[in-house]
Amino acid sequence: MIYLVLGILYESFIHPLTILSALPFAGFGALVTLLLFRIELSVYAFVGIIMLVGLVKKNGIMMIDFALEAQRIEGKSPTEAILQACSIRFRPIMMTTMAALMGTLPIALGVGQGSESRRPLGIAVVGGLAFSQFITLYVTPVIYTYLDQVQRWLGRTSLARAGAEPLPAPAPAD
């Protein structure tokens, strides 16, 4: 469902894959953290992983959306656009990630009445965010550039099959 919504939003079959490429790292980080703390995969842990998917997806959207706009409006190459997006959107991504980490850290530490039942949620979110944050800041730009090349290649082959010339890019509005 997320892929379909992102596909409609970006009018692309490729760029939602770039955004969703961070999700396996988040899930892996959450599961490894639960394993390290010897905590079973409970309903609370599943709720934490679902929450984690939303947080990590938001980070990908912040980067990819900025890069696509830089390509469309400023006419930058995919590599230049994603590098600019990473440097400009780094601070907001880190701020929201740190806010989520600090918000779930008391749950992960098990502070409060009845905390032992909610602890898997906090541990899944903290572990998954910490792991995926470090990995996806490096992997998402690489995947973006490769998938953009795939999209361009697919566009050329479909135009070649149809025997049509590519349409000129629209002139930027002043």
Side-chain angles (χ1 to χ4, degrees):
M1 186 63 136
I2 294 170
Y3 176 80
L4 291 175
V5 171
L6 289 172
I8 292 168
L9 178 68
Y10 292 113
E11 299 174 353
S12 169
F13 292 116
I14 299 291
H15 291 302
L17 293 175
T18 308
I19 293 168
L20 297 176
S21 67
L23 299 183
F25 299 115
F28 179 76
L31 293 175
V32 166
T33 307
L34 288 170
L35 185 66
L36 287 175
F37 283 93
R38 294 191 172 119
I39 295 177
E40 294 179 9
L41 194 59
S42 64
V43 173
Y44 280 105
F46 274 118
V47 170
I49 291 172
I50 290 170
M51 186 172 114
L52 178 66
V53 164
L55 290 167
V56 172
K57 182 178 52 76
K58 173 210 45 80
N59 291 343
I61 289 172
M62 288 172 67
M63 266 194 294
I64 302 306
D65 191 44
F66 194 90
L68 288 173
E69 286 297 314
Q71 273 186 275
R72 288 182 189 138
I73 294 173
E74 299 172 20
K76 294 189 178 220
S77 72
T79 305
E80 291 173 340
I82 194 67
L83 288 176
Q84 181 185 9
C86 289
S87 63
I88 291 176
R89 302 307 291 173
F90 178 75
R91 183 172 165 239
I93 289 171
M94 289 305 293
M95 287 171 56
T96 56
T97 300
M98 286 301 158
L101 279 172
M102 293 301 132
T104 54
L105 195 58
I107 299 170
L109 293 174
V111 178
Q113 190 73 5
S115 61
E116 57 276 346
S117 64
R118 294 184 309 270
R119 191 164 180 243
L121 182 144
I123 288 177
V125 172
V126 169
L129 268 178
F131 182 76
S132 72
Q133 189 66 31
F134 291 116
I135 300 295
T136 57
L137 286 175
Y138 295 108
V139 172
T140 301
V142 172
I143 292 174
Y144 177 82
T145 55
Y146 283 134
L147 287 181
D148 192 73
Q149 289 174 359
V150 167
Q151 185 175 19
R152 290 176 192 273
W153 181 79
L154 288 175
R156 281 196 296 266
T157 57
S158 65
L159 287 172
R161 275 191 228 138
E165 290 291 321
L167 295 173
D174 289 325

